[in-house]
Amino acid sequence: MNHPCHGRPCPRPVCARTTANPWKPVRTPARTPLRGMTSGPCATSPLAGHRTPAHVRLLAQQIAEVLVGRRAPEVLNRHVTVPVREELRRLRGSVSCAIAPRLSRVFHQPLGAAGVEASAVIGCDHRARAFAFRLRREGQRWICTRLETDHRR
């Protein structure tokens, strides 16, 4: 198979990097740390800052347990507002799941310095269910201020 540049130096930078092995994927700067960097923003893991924080994942797991009916909404009183607690009371047990709920995915998006928006997918039996929530920081605690589920009203 002939190279598209027919043996001449290719003007495209992608071809110049892949002439040795045209099937090798091109390194992307967003996910590839620079070699030899021991300090600075590139010295950390390429996914640093993208992992869901532990407090968001824990609250998502607790909300999932309420939705399945394995946890009482009152246990979350210190971490939810009154409207969210009432919504959890109304939705308790609305997700039918014969096994303990397992979060297959939790995504988060920062909302400024004092807020996070997150969504989670619950894997139950042979069906996946989803919910989303917003958190805001109050002192040292995170408080859930809004909750939405895929449950029909």
Side-chain angles (χ1 to χ4, degrees):
M1 180 167 102
N2 292 334
H3 190 269
C5 295
H6 305 289
R8 295 179 305 226
C10 184
R12 297 182 300 174
V14 173
C15 284
R17 283 184 265 170
T18 60
T19 55
N21 184 357
W23 295 278
K24 183 178 178 184
V26 177
R27 295 175 64 131
T28 57
R31 293 188 180 241
T32 307
L34 298 174
R35 291 181 185 212
M37 292 292 289
T38 57
S39 65
C42 294
T44 59
S45 167
L47 293 177
H50 296 283
R51 298 191 197 288
T52 303
H55 64 273
V56 175
R57 183 170 266 292
L58 178 63
L59 189 59
Q61 178 66 40
Q62 292 171 340
I63 291 172
E65 290 170 2
V66 171
L67 294 175
V68 169
R70 293 184 174 244
R71 180 181 293 263
E74 292 76 25
V75 174
L76 301 176
N77 279 350
R78 295 187 62 216
H79 300 288
V80 297
T81 59
V82 173
V84 172
R85 186 180 67 229
E86 295 304 315
E87 183 73 7
L88 283 171
R89 281 185 182 154
R90 189 180 70 76
L91 292 171
R92 183 178 185 195
S94 63
V95 176
S96 60
C97 192
I99 59 173
R102 187 186 84 251
L103 295 180
S104 56
R105 294 184 181 106
V106 179
F107 301 101
H108 78 287
Q109 178 68 37
L111 297 174
V116 174
E117 186 172 68
S119 62
V121 178
I122 307 170
C124 283
D125 302 330
H126 299 290
R127 183 169 180 178
R129 300 291 301 269
F131 64 95
F133 57 99
R134 283 193 177 171
L135 301 171
R136 77 168 181 260
R137 183 181 286 281
E138 288 186 3
Q140 296 298 317
R141 288 187 311 180
W142 286 90
I143 308 294
C144 180
T145 59
R146 179 106 190 235
L147 174 69
E148 292 182 12
T149 67
D150 63 351
H151 183 70
R152 295 181 187 167
R153 295 187 187 266

